Amino acid sequence: MSDKNKVYIFDTTLRDGEQSPGFSMNITEKLHFATQLVKLGVDIIEAGFPIASRGDFEAVQKISREIRGVQIAGLARANARDIDTAWEAIKEAENPRIHTFISSSDIHIEYQLKKTREQVLEQAVEAVKMAKRYTSNVEFSPMDATRSDRAYLAKMVEAVIKAGATTVNIPDTVGYAVPSEFHGLIRYLMENVEGIDRAIISVHCHNDLGLAVANSLAAIEAGARQVECTVNGIGERAGNTSMEEITMAIKTRSGLFNVHTDINTKQIMTASRLLTHITGVTVQPNKAIVGANAFAHESGIHQDGLLKNTMTYEIMRPEDVGISKSSLVLGKHSGRHAVIDRLKTLGYELEKDDLERFFKYFKALADVKKQVHDEDLEVLIGEAVYKEKGRYKVTNVQISTGMYSPPMTLITLKDRERDGDESFDVAHGNGGVDAGINAVKKITGTKARIESFNLVAITGGSDALCEVTVTAVEEYEGKIFKVFGNGVNIDISVAGILSFVDALNKLDYRKKVNGIRMKVEVNL
Ligand code: KIV
Ligand code: ZN
């Protein structure tokens, strides 16, 4: 029996999120992230846009083959080639969904598609029928719905439901809507589309005006029962509805909305940090739910109130989003069991090889740092599991610097494409990091340049682990590639050098597999 009060969570981090600049992931990273999405309890994972590139196709196919317990959606424009390709990629999923779309606004129809409303309506219906030949689970999106003529939009929604769409998604593609208006639009569709109860109404909001979550909540109040969202709110331009914000708003204000999701909110923090480690893009400290300050109380009055009763200034419990209050701290004497146990509590169950590598990193850190905190463990997982598989690996860094001697760094680098050959070189620079990066450039011959460099300390104290995030840019075959890289080490300079090498690994991957996204054909 369907649960009328359940809001389905459709996660598009791996599609809308991943397609935005700087957030690209390789197949292994996508698979790891999808595993975390299952732990989080999302209902549908939009794994990618299979026609967009060979890399996208392979990632969607692998996720469909290996991930269970969740629906897997593949995106397709409203044409046979896209739909066939999407099906090919998702057909081995436990519950595959084809998500097909075409624009419904006059601006898009006239200037982008260069068609008439009638032609587009016909194409939408045909696309749904084509998808239905493959699976009963078909979602349709009228792109730019919020700038479309309401009567025409309603006609299109009615026609695609009649053709068999089981979910109809209303996108605010350019983030133009405001909550009262978006509520009105969903209500209008609910009241004017014949057969609307045969489909689930979904919403997909972009955050250009910072209203994506507010618009999604307004749509839920008007009857929408699926929300498309991304972890940390990543996505095109200003991003999408943030998964953690929408699900915690629904949970915290359940009495008001009278709906629920199946999200295991205790997995939110792990999902957020995992995405940060994979992409190298950190969230701002004041970000709702997952920012470093989201549960930090600075003012004396607030701290006083909290000590008396946490409800005075906390509307959510940090434990409910997976921020542990436990003061358990590990060190070099902690046994394997204690460490594995702690990892499990944090939501990580590593494969044997990954675990072995993780322990090497753990021991190295515990040797120099007395107390290893949860945040350190999560960073080590990022280092041991995700970074190990890139083309280059730094095997040694030796820095010589001083107030009156020119900084010089020696780097030893392993190149997996040259049978793991190790090469070393030495270079000068403006400081140890710059010298190290110059040495890496000499060894690899890369033309990549660093556009930004950010440093944060992960845990307090002068022995804190430091995380450096860089943005690196490279021109290749007439295209500009931009990636984020991050590096973590107890030494600031080493962290900086590792972040540059991480960026080189991502550039290498982008150029080889994912880089040249197929040109989106205009004859939609
Ligand atoms: O923003 C948008 O309209 C989309 C569609 C493909 C759903 O991402
Ligand atoms: Zn979108």
Side-chain angles (χ1 to χ4, degrees):
M1 208 179 73
S2 79
D3 175 356
K4 294 246 178 274
N5 295 331
K6 167 165 167 162
V7 174
Y8 288 84
I9 297 297
F10 177 108
D11 185 279
T12 184
T13 311
L14 293 175
R15 199 278 298 169
D16 210 320
E18 201 262 352
Q19 81 189 28
S20 55
F23 286 93
S24 67
M25 305 178 206
N26 64 34
I27 294 186
T28 319
E29 290 165 342
K30 285 185 184 176
L31 202 62
H32 274 292
F33 194 71
T35 310
Q36 177 58 27
L37 288 176
V38 174
K39 286 189 195 155
L40 191 62
V42 307
D43 299 284
I44 304 109
I45 295 176
E46 187 163 52
F49 188 7
I51 194 88
S53 71
R54 188 161 57 86
D56 259 37
F57 179 91
E58 284 171 6
V60 176
Q61 189 173 54
K62 200 161 171 65
I63 289 171
S64 301
R65 284 180 178 156
E66 298 190 19
I67 301 290
R68 290 292 173 262
V70 65
Q71 297 181 44
I72 307 290
L75 186 67
R77 287 164 299 172
N79 67 55
R81 211 172 125 242
D82 274 40
I83 292 170
D84 292 346
T85 310
W87 177 249
E88 209 36 51
I90 60 170
K91 66 182 183 194
E92 289 172 60
E94 196 172 284
N95 189 349
R97 170 183 296 196
I98 295 177
H99 176 192
T100 183
F101 70 99
I102 193 165
S103 293
S104 56
S105 70
D106 287 337
I107 308 173
H108 284 205
I109 292 176
E110 191 179 331
Y111 296 107
Q112 195 180 13
L113 304 180
K114 299 192 187 333
K115 293 193 171 179
T116 63
R117 282 188 183 180
E118 289 65 35
Q119 286 170 323
V120 170
L121 182 66
E122 198 180 316
Q123 198 175 332
V125 169
E126 271 318 300
V128 170
K129 286 185 179 163
M130 263 181 248
K132 280 302 262 196
R133 281 187 223 127
Y134 289 126
T135 171
S136 58
N137 190 353
V138 174
E139 170 168 336
F140 174 80
S141 291
M143 189 152 86
D144 204 18
T146 50
R147 292 193 301 166
S148 304
D149 175 79
R150 277 193 179 186
Y152 176 66
L153 179 68
K155 197 166 160 188
M156 188 181 269
V157 171
E158 191 167 306
V160 293
I161 293 176
K162 209 161 157 207
T166 42
T167 302
V168 180
N169 178 47
I170 308 300
D172 183 23
T173 304
V174 289
Y176 181 69
V178 299
S180 52
E181 178 190 32
F182 199 48
H183 181 282
L185 176 63
I186 302 299
R187 224 15 308 129
Y188 172 83
L189 295 174
M190 289 292 181
E191 284 163 4
N192 291 283
V193 170
E194 211 183 290
I196 195 139
D197 50 344
R198 293 207 305 274
I200 287 182
I201 297 304
S202 165
V203 288
H204 174 111
C205 298
H206 279 272
N207 206 28
D208 300 66
L209 294 174
L211 294 170
V213 174
N215 283 335
S216 304
L217 287 170
I220 290 171
E221 286 190 297
R225 286 295 177 266
Q226 176 179 287
V227 170
E228 303 201 349
C229 51
T230 59
V231 173
N232 294 346
I234 70 169
E236 284 276 352
R237 307 181 307 281
N240 289 69
T241 298
S242 135
M243 179 282 303
E244 55 281 2
E245 292 175 23
I246 189 87
T247 54
M248 285 313 289
I250 290 173
K251 186 179 165 87
T252 308
R253 304 304 309 272
S254 59
L256 180 73
F257 293 113
N258 199 22
V259 293
H260 64 91
T261 72
D262 281 349
I263 291 294
N264 174 3
T265 59
K266 291 196 161 73
Q267 289 290 332
I268 283 180
M269 210 57 207
T270 303
S272 166
R273 287 194 185 132
L274 179 60
L275 186 65
T276 297
H277 294 317
I278 291 176
T279 60
V281 188
T282 45
V283 295
Q284 86 239 31
N286 61 321
K287 163 87 174 63
I289 318 293
V290 293
N293 296 347
F295 291 91
H297 300 268
E298 223 18 70
S299 109
I301 296 176
H302 288 205
Q303 288 178 353
D304 172 65
L306 281 165
L307 287 172
K308 291 172 178 151
N309 186 331
T310 53
M311 270 161 52
T312 49
Y313 289 98
E314 253 174 27
I315 57 163
M316 297 166 273
R317 296 183 316 156
E319 305 90 281
D320 286 347
V321 300
I323 299 173
S324 117
K325 275 210 165 147
S326 144
S327 57
L328 186 69
V329 175
L330 301 166
K332 68 175 173 186
H333 299 298
S334 306
R336 275 174 95 93
H337 276 306
V339 180
I340 293 174
D341 245 36
R342 195 71 207 135
L343 289 180
K344 269 198 189 140
T345 314
L346 294 173
Y348 295 102
E349 275 179 64
L350 302 186
E351 305 273 325
K352 197 165 171 286
D353 287 355
D354 291 341
L355 197 61
E356 284 315 313
R357 263 202 317 277
F358 171 83
F359 272 113
K360 273 196 208 144
Y361 279 78
F362 176 79
K363 276 194 85 49
L365 180 66
D367 272 343
V368 287
K369 191 173 190 288
K370 278 195 206 90
Q371 301 191 323
V372 180
H373 298 263
D374 288 351
E375 294 90 327
D376 297 324
L377 292 180
E378 292 196 311
V379 168
L380 290 187
I381 287 180
E383 294 298 295
V385 180
Y386 309 115
K387 301 261 178 75
E388 274 287 334
K389 290 155 189 157
R391 173 173 175 181
Y392 302 111
K393 182 172 164 48
V394 178
T395 49
N396 195 20
V397 177
Q398 232 170 295
I399 302 171
S400 136
T401 187
M403 252 166 97
Y404 304 108
S405 51
M408 189 174 73
T409 304
L410 172 110
I411 298 283
T412 313
L413 209 61
K414 219 183 222 175
D415 185 345
R416 288 196 173 82
E417 278 189 10
R418 298 213 175 120
D419 294 330
D421 262 8
E422 266 188 336
S423 316
F424 66 91
D425 217 320
V426 66
H428 290 283
N430 296 321
V433 187
D434 191 45
I437 287 171
N438 288 340
V440 171
K441 284 183 175 168
K442 276 166 93 178
I443 301 171
T444 58
T446 179
K447 296 276 175 295
R449 63 186 167 78
I450 292 185
E451 208 178 62
S452 70
F453 187 98
N454 286 300
L455 167 74
V456 285
I458 291 162
T459 41
S462 58
D463 68 346
L465 268 183
C466 304
E467 181 167 22
V468 171
T469 305
V470 293
T471 319
V473 182
E474 187 179 359
E475 201 180 320
Y476 178 74
E477 292 185 347
K479 279 180 158 256
I480 305 281
F481 291 93
K482 187 175 187 167
V483 296
F484 291 93
N486 72 347
V488 179
N489 199 272
I490 207 142
D491 183 288
I492 296 172
S493 304
V494 176
I497 294 161
L498 293 180
S499 68
F500 182 61
V501 173
D502 183 44
L504 291 191
N505 283 333
K506 286 180 177 152
L507 282 169
D508 179 62
Y509 175 78
R510 285 279 301 279
K511 288 186 289 190
K512 277 203 275 242
V513 194
N514 222 2
I516 299 138
R517 285 188 183 274
M518 278 186 186
K519 267 199 142 162
V520 174
E521 295 148 32
V522 187
N523 60 333
L524 297 154

